[in-house]
Amino acid sequence: GAVVSQHPSRVICKSGTSVKIECRSLDFQATTMFWYRQFPKQSLMLMATSNEGSKATYEQGVEKDKFLINHASLTLSTLTVTSAHPEDSSFYICSARGGVLYYGYTFGSGTRLTVV
Amino acid sequence: AQTVTQSQPEMSVQEAETVTLSCTYDTSESNYYLFWYKQPPSRQMILVIRQEAYKQQNATENRFSVNFQKAAKSFSLKISDSQLGDTAMYFCAFMTPSNFGNEKLTFGTGTRLTIIP
């Protein structure tokens, strides 16, 4: 079945630095990728939608200059948290949709970001 | 805007029993998809079952089935013969297809299900 690989699974960074999270579709071409943020014991909050080769569409309230999303190929999307602060600490999950809606959405395994 | 409501924050049931998780949604669209996702302690999101709104027949996947009531905008998940591995957070989700490639899932707040040995 469709597999999405997300790395790293955990990352600790110092306040003020930047962190990049990668999301790769391993056996299908992901025309659209989604980035979510999940706080403890809460639901997934969509941050942005990216289509290969075009600029990401950010949800209201999400700072596009802080959360940089790049979807340069059909198999790779990256989320860069710039100038990270402790309040950016969270669980980030990517999701990919291939060209056929039938298969639904495949999720990565998530990245726990801790900013100290 | 579409909204998804899960009114049961937590549920628990004895192993081998049947449990039903409720979900209601609000939309003005006629064509849409509904999903149930499972998030175990590993936090990996796993698709449990999917329902297309234009299909009247309720979807079934082994021990998992749905009761889709389109007029009532209700989409409940029934788990039969529950197993310890079913312990997880369950999210109901809604999606409206579009031609612009940015169909997004709207999630409910989740139901934490615990299967008791």
Side-chain angles (χ1 to χ4, degrees):
Chain A
V3 176
V4 171
S5 175
Q6 184 173 346
H7 292 280
S9 58
R10 290 175 178 265
V11 59
I12 301 172
C13 71
K14 291 185 177 181
S15 186
T17 62
S18 296
V19 173
K20 180 182 286 188
I21 302 170
E22 289 192 351
C23 187
R24 292 180 183 272
S25 57
L26 298 185
D27 49 4
F28 68 103
Q29 292 183 330
T31 54
T32 304
M33 286 193 175
F34 304 86
W35 287 93
Y36 296 86
R37 183 172 180 176
Q38 186 179 30
F39 291 103
K41 298 186 178 182
Q42 293 190 23
S43 188
L44 281 71
M45 181 190 77
L46 180 66
M47 299 174 66
T49 303
S50 69
N51 291 302
E52 184 265 337
S54 61
K55 288 185 177 181
T57 301
Y58 289 82
E59 294 298 301
Q60 192 172 8
V62 177
E63 299 176 63
K64 59 182 67 177
D65 293 332
K66 167 168 275 295
F67 299 101
L68 300 180
I69 291 172
N70 184 280
H71 192 164
S73 77
L74 284 171
T75 59
L76 174 65
S77 177
T78 60
L79 167 67
T80 301
V81 183
T82 63
S83 186
H85 291 287
E87 57 265 31
D88 298 325
S89 297
S90 190
F91 191 70
Y92 293 88
I93 308 176
C94 68
S95 173
R97 185 177 77 77
V100 180
L101 185 62
Y102 176 83
Y103 293 107
Y105 299 77
T106 303
F107 286 80
S109 53
T111 297
R112 172 161 300 289
L113 170 64
T114 303
V115 184
V116 297
Chain B
Q2 291 86 7
T3 59
V4 179
T5 302
Q6 293 179 250
S7 59
Q8 305 150 313
E10 293 187 22
M11 296 185 73
S12 60
V13 66
Q14 291 289 137
E15 189 177 5
E17 290 186 348
T18 295
V19 61
T20 299
L21 309 182
S22 65
C23 172
T24 58
Y25 57 95
D26 187 26
T27 184
S28 57
E29 302 287 338
S30 59
N31 183 27
Y32 50 87
Y33 294 78
L34 294 161
F35 306 83
W36 278 99
Y37 279 91
K38 166 184 177 181
Q39 188 180 40
S42 68
R43 303 194 76 171
Q44 172 73 56
M45 294 288 284
I46 301 167
L47 177 65
V48 175
I49 202 165
R50 179 190 66 247
Q51 175 82 41
E52 292 88 344
Y54 63 86
K55 290 186 177 180
Q56 293 186 339
Q57 186 172 7
N58 289 324
T60 299
E61 289 286 344
N62 300 314
R63 298 183 295 107
F64 300 88
S65 62
V66 298
N67 183 2
F68 174 48
Q69 301 289 328
K70 191 171 184 179
K73 297 179 181 176
S74 171
F75 183 60
S76 61
L77 173 69
K78 185 172 82 171
I79 305 175
S80 303
D81 186 26
S82 57
Q83 301 174 359
L84 297 179
D86 296 333
T87 291
M89 194 76 167
Y90 287 81
F91 292 101
C92 178
F94 171 101
M95 186 273 286
T96 301
S98 76
N99 296 324
F100 304 103
N102 62 349
E103 301 90 341
K104 57 185 181 182
L105 288 170
T106 300
F107 285 93
T109 51
T111 296
R112 184 171 301 279
L113 176 64
T114 302
I115 308 300
I116 303 167

